[in-house]
Amino acid sequence: MDTTTPRSFTPAELSAIRADFPLLTRTVRDGKPLVYLDSAATSQKPDPVLDTEQDFYLHRNAAVHRGAHHVAEEATDAFEGARAHIAQFVGADTDELIWTSGATTAINIVAYGIQNATLGRGGAAAQRFAIQPGDTIVVTETEHHANLIPWQELAHRTGATLHWISVDDNGRLRTEELATVVTERTKILAFTHASNVTGAITDVAAFVARAREVGALTVLDACQSVPHLPVNFHELGVDFAAFSGHKMLGPTGVGMLYGRRELLEALPPVLFGGSMVEVVTMTDTTFMPPPQRFEAGTQPVAQAVALGAAAQYLHEIGMDRVYAHEQELARQLLTVSEVPGVTVIGPTDTHNRLAVVSFTVDGVHAHDVGQILDDAGIAVRVGHHCAQPLHRRFGIASTSRASASIYTTTDEITTFVESLATVQAFFGVSTH
């Protein structure tokens, strides 16, 4: 046996994992067991995460970095301890991680920080970020709106031009376009680590290498990768990265921005107020070093502490095994392409893809597909998944999407595929 190859979970291991997720035991729609295949939208939460958040409020609730009393010290220790756990989990230093309310806020902090630099804020060090008309910002056609609209807006405000890397008919990025689309005038290259529609994983090394050739900054949207495969930001070599807590078994309302230390030290802050200052006079203010300079106001402390517990939970299981498990699920999910009338949007092979499968059913609207599956107790996502340009690329307005996670079983995938096979017949759509 090759002991270097990560193995998936044994049935007993998977059963033990599922026992940690109380919501998975419930029934829906007249007593049907819930089959939750909407983890790309938000994941379910295990007991250690739920218990940690409750324990914080029961025993350690206090303002962090402000009080000198015993409970405040414990709260601050828990808050910073969570940052340290997540730093270890994603391959970063603790002072390179900023608490945010989610990935959307994290990406906007970078975009607005660059705008502030362009306006002359932040001193000479910040001028490395300045953008002017004639410069370009490059994204990809696979981006969900959180990693597209902030860059559209930055381009509008600075006079820069937005360009993008397109996808091929299999939903994979045309990496060869990096050589022509990313030029000496490119200041930012923002791209997803894995598409929330096609499940395709981006060749990060190629993107980073091209950005370095032309001196552009890289911004990685890691929302779909951090919960599902091993991620190390230092090894990937990206300049900034964002991910959300609620997709990685953590609470809603919390996420993180990663930035290389020297970049965070030069980037101007975008939110101003308490907890991020050194000296304040009636006319001026000096700011603390990162990460605190980007954490104005009261932070989502209990959620942050619970997100640290989520990172610990995944770390103890092992992300290589999580990825191996989800590779098996991806192979099984892709059998939907064998169902008459079903077309998969994205790669139909498991190479460099996640267990996220979006599809259409001939003659049946995605919302109707979702309703039939829901009647069977199966929860999937329907719509454009906050990725309208990618759906437009394939000439469709919406898809249905099934997405797995650490707790998903092969039996659930079987139930899903069998139920999907009944959709066309239910609506009287011919399969011939």
Side-chain angles (χ1 to χ4, degrees):
M1 177 179 177
D2 182 5
T3 56
T4 63
T5 301
R7 62 176 177 83
S8 182
F9 305 136
T10 66
E13 289 172 331
L14 183 54
S15 179
I17 289 171
R18 286 180 64 85
D20 288 335
F21 291 81
L23 189 138
L24 298 179
T25 63
R26 66 162 297 178
T27 59
V28 295
R29 302 301 181 197
D30 298 327
K32 297 182 181 66
L34 172 66
V35 176
Y36 188 79
L37 294 177
D38 197 18
S39 294
T42 194
S43 66
Q44 296 305 330
K45 325 302 178 192
D47 281 328
V49 171
L50 301 172
D51 294 343
T52 297
E53 185 167 354
Q54 183 181 43
D55 179 76
F56 180 85
Y57 281 126
L58 288 174
H59 303 294
R60 272 172 279 279
N61 182 45
V64 300
H65 291 306
R66 298 178 188 180
H69 56 78
H70 184 87
V71 178
E73 289 178 357
E74 287 189 348
T76 301
D77 288 345
F79 184 65
E80 292 302 330
R83 197 194 310 262
H85 288 312
I86 296 172
Q88 180 185 33
F89 184 67
V90 297
D93 295 332
T94 53
D95 59 355
E96 295 177 317
L97 289 177
I98 298 161
W99 294 112
T100 70
S101 62
T104 300
T105 300
I107 294 170
N108 272 277
I109 286 174
V110 180
Y112 276 99
I114 291 172
Q115 181 185 359
N116 284 350
T118 302
L119 293 172
R121 301 297 298 169
Q127 285 309 296
R128 64 189 298 174
F129 301 110
I131 292 180
Q132 58 186 338
D135 291 337
T136 69
I137 300 169
V138 176
V139 295
T140 83
E141 209 169 18
T142 63
E143 301 310 317
H144 71 156
H145 299 161
N147 197 34
L148 172 61
I149 299 172
W151 307 118
Q152 290 176 343
E153 289 296 309
L154 182 62
H156 293 322
R157 293 192 297 264
T158 62
T161 304
L162 188 73
H163 292 167
W164 56 88
I165 305 295
S166 65
V167 298
D168 62 22
D169 291 342
N170 291 320
R172 292 198 185 276
L173 289 170
R174 298 182 190 274
T175 306
E176 66 275 14
E177 291 183 352
L178 287 168
T180 53
V181 178
V182 179
T183 70
E184 302 293 333
R185 297 305 304 264
T186 301
K187 298 299 183 183
I188 300 164
L189 176 56
F191 58 99
T192 186
H193 198 171
S195 167
N196 71 326
V197 176
T198 67
I201 298 173
T202 302
D203 184 352
V204 176
F207 276 66
V208 170
R210 181 56 182 160
R212 286 179 176 173
E213 284 179 355
V214 300
L217 294 169
T218 49
V219 182
L220 183 72
D221 174 4
C223 287
Q224 296 297 335
S225 59
V226 165
H228 302 291
L229 68 159
V231 172
N232 185 304
F233 292 141
H234 283 171
E235 292 179 0
L236 290 174
V238 294
D239 295 314
F240 296 98
F243 58 97
S244 55
H246 72 101
K247 296 182 193 296
M248 57 170 286
L249 315 184
T252 57
V254 66
M256 299 213 87
L257 169 66
Y258 160 80
R260 288 199 294 116
R261 182 183 294 106
E262 61 270 29
L263 295 176
L264 293 180
E265 288 172 346
L267 187 72
V270 300
L271 295 174
F272 303 92
S275 301
M276 48 84 75
V277 298
E278 290 176 330
V279 178
V280 181
T281 70
M282 289 306 296
T283 57
D284 212 348
T285 300
T286 60
F287 305 117
M288 295 181 70
Q292 278 75 27
R293 73 158 60 184
F294 297 100
E295 296 179 349
T298 301
Q299 296 301 301
V301 180
Q303 293 91 334
V305 173
L307 182 56
Q312 277 188 288
Y313 184 87
L314 289 166
H315 173 73
E316 289 170 3
I317 291 174
M319 290 307 296
D320 52 352
R321 297 195 65 199
V322 170
Y323 186 54
H325 172 64
E326 297 192 19
Q327 284 281 285
E328 286 190 4
L329 299 174
R331 276 191 287 273
Q332 193 181 3
L333 272 174
L334 286 169
T335 62
V336 298
S337 63
E338 300 169 7
V339 176
V342 171
T343 301
V344 171
I345 306 301
T348 54
D349 62 90
T350 60
H351 176 67
N352 276 344
R353 79 165 350 270
L354 301 177
V356 177
V357 175
S358 299
F359 57 92
T360 60
V361 180
D362 291 346
V364 185
H365 192 279
H367 286 232
D368 292 328
V369 173
Q371 183 176 350
I372 295 302
L373 294 175
D374 181 48
D375 286 343
I378 302 165
V380 299
R381 176 79 177 267
V382 296
H384 51 64
H385 319 313
C386 297
Q388 289 187 29
L390 184 57
H391 279 73
R392 197 169 292 114
R393 158 66 176 80
F394 288 99
I396 50 181
S398 62
T399 56
S400 304
R401 183 185 69 190
S403 53
S405 186
I406 183 174
Y407 40 70
T408 306
T409 69
T410 57
D411 286 345
E412 289 180 315
I413 304 294
T414 298
T415 299
F416 159 67
V417 176
E418 290 176 350
S419 297
L420 183 62
T422 69
V423 169
Q424 280 192 316
F426 180 88
F427 285 100
V429 177
S430 172
T431 58
H432 300 290

